[in-house]
């Protein structure tokens, strides 16, 4: 009588997994702050503070003239939105429920559902935040026009996907060396402040500087998003397929590491530490 009922068909199994992911997403969103509206406002404030900081920095340095022809603040926001979405996805997936978590004691729950719910909750918050910020800017300050909004949103999904893939790798390695992985992930996030290339336009970079950035899939996502956002910019030195390929490879490696870690990890590791 205490045994959980198991679905007998593939469709019911799929619906059961989707229901678990949905409830886990809601739990992750509400766990960020007691009030969901306050949590959204705090995330919006973080985005607006970064946009304002880069706007004033660019104005003080006098580099506004090298930006893409069009709305200068939209040029900044394309880089900030992609960067924050990537970093938030990485942090959220890295902090997902691990194999020794108390949630894994419940029979239907597993680490894949935990990873998926963390990734989707991060995407939900970021899309809601950036949509609100863009609407406020469009309605209250300066009307903007995005040349290809579907393509620009697609690049946002690419930035989110690559962040999730990197987060799975960090999550799978964290039980083995939590302090080291925390430091490495922090270095990765801080390095992407520069390595993402959100402060530069790829078409204007010399080949010597371009080699410093084109290894980074986030750099390609940001540059391509500006190509979709601005009618006057056609990116020549970035690719849509490169970040997707890198994301798939990194995600595959991360899932393999997660499967191996899930079989080996023990609650006694944390107790020993």
């Amino acid at each position: 009588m205490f045994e959980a009922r198991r679905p007998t068909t593939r469709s019911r199994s799929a619906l059961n997994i989707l229901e678990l992911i949905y409830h886990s997403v809601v739990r992750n969103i509400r766990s960020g702050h007691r009030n969901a509206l306050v949590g959204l406002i705090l995330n919006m404030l973080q985005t607006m503070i970064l946009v304002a900081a880069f706007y004033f920095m660019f104005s003080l340095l006098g580099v506004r003239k090298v930006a893409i022809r069009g709305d200068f603040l939209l040029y900044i926001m394309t880089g900030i939105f992609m960067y924050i979405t990537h970093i938030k996805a990485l942090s959220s997936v890295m902090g997902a429920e691990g194999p020794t978590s108390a949630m894994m004691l419940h029979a239907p729950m597993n680490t894949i559902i935990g990873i998926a719910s963390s990734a989707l909750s991060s995407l939900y918050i970021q899309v809601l935040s950036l949509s609100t910020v863009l609407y406020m800017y469009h309605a209250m300050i300066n009307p903007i026009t995005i040349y290809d909004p579907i393509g620009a949103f697609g690049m946002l999904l690419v930035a989110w996907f690559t962040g999730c893939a990197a987060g799975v790798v960090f999550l799978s390695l964290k039980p083995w060396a939590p302090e080291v992985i925390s430091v490495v992930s922090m270095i990765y996030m801080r390095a992407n402040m520069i390595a993402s290339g959100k402060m530069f336009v790829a078409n204007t970079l010399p080949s010597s500087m371009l080699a410093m950035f084109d290894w980074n899939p986030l750099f390609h996502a940001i540059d391509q998003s500006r190509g979709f956002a601005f009618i006057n910019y056609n990116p020549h030195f970035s690719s849509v397929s490169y970040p997707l390929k890198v994301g798939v490879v990194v995600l595959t490696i991360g899932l393999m590491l997660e499967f191996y870690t899930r079989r080996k990890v023990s609650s006694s590791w944390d107790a020993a530490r």
Side-chain angles (χ1 to χ4, degrees), residues 143-250:
I144 58 175
T145 300
I146 299 178
Y147 172 60
D148 186 353
I150 296 178
F153 183 74
M155 289 298 99
L156 182 79
L157 294 179
V158 170
W160 167 78
F161 173 67
T162 54
C164 292
V168 173
V169 174
F170 286 128
L171 174 66
S172 61
L173 295 175
K174 188 167 64 172
W176 302 93
E179 294 84 4
V180 175
I181 296 303
S182 297
V183 172
V184 172
S185 63
M186 188 63 65
I187 293 174
Y188 174 83
M189 289 186 281
R190 294 294 181 264
N192 261 312
M193 287 288 291
I194 304 298
S196 61
K198 61 180 178 293
M199 298 182 293
F200 312 106
V201 180
N203 285 3
T204 63
L205 292 177
S207 57
S208 58
M209 287 191 64
L210 191 63
M212 299 170 58
F213 299 101
D214 64 356
W215 60 268
N216 191 347
L218 184 57
F219 170 77
H220 290 258
I222 291 175
D223 194 56
Q224 286 293 320
S225 71
R226 287 167 174 164
F228 289 116
F230 295 93
I231 192 173
N232 297 314
Y233 182 66
N234 184 22
H236 298 294
F237 302 107
S238 60
S239 169
V240 175
S241 60
Y242 175 76
L244 285 173
K245 292 176 182 177
V246 172
V248 170
V249 172
V250 173

Side-chain angles (χ1 to χ4, degrees), residues 69-80:
R69 284 185 297 165
D71 192 283
F72 179 68
L73 207 58
L74 180 61
Y75 161 76
I76 295 178
M77 286 191 288
T78 51
I80 296 296

Side-chain angles (χ1 to χ4, degrees), residues 99-101 175-176 260-273:
T100 59
S101 171
W176 302 93
Y260 179 79
T261 301
R262 187 170 69 238
R263 296 181 59 188
K264 301 294 183 179
V265 71
S266 172
S267 300
S268 60
W269 290 8
D270 292 329
R273 296 189 182 99

Side-chain angles (χ1 to χ4, degrees), residues 3-36:
E3 185 177 356
R5 291 184 359 180
R6 297 180 180 276
T8 56
T9 63
R10 292 183 178 179
S11 59
R12 290 187 61 186
S13 298
L15 289 175
N16 186 50
I17 292 174
L18 291 177
E19 183 181 7
L20 287 172
I21 292 176
Y22 169 76
H23 289 294
S24 297
V25 167
V26 174
R27 175 177 173 269
N28 286 332
I29 293 173
R30 294 303 300 267
S31 64
H33 197 278
R34 181 179 301 177
N35 190 314

Side-chain angles (χ1 to χ4, degrees), residues 123-136:
L123 179 64
Y124 171 79
I125 291 294
Q126 295 309 314
V127 170
L128 196 58
S129 297
L130 70 89
S131 299
T132 306
V133 171
L134 281 176
Y135 174 76
M136 291 172 59

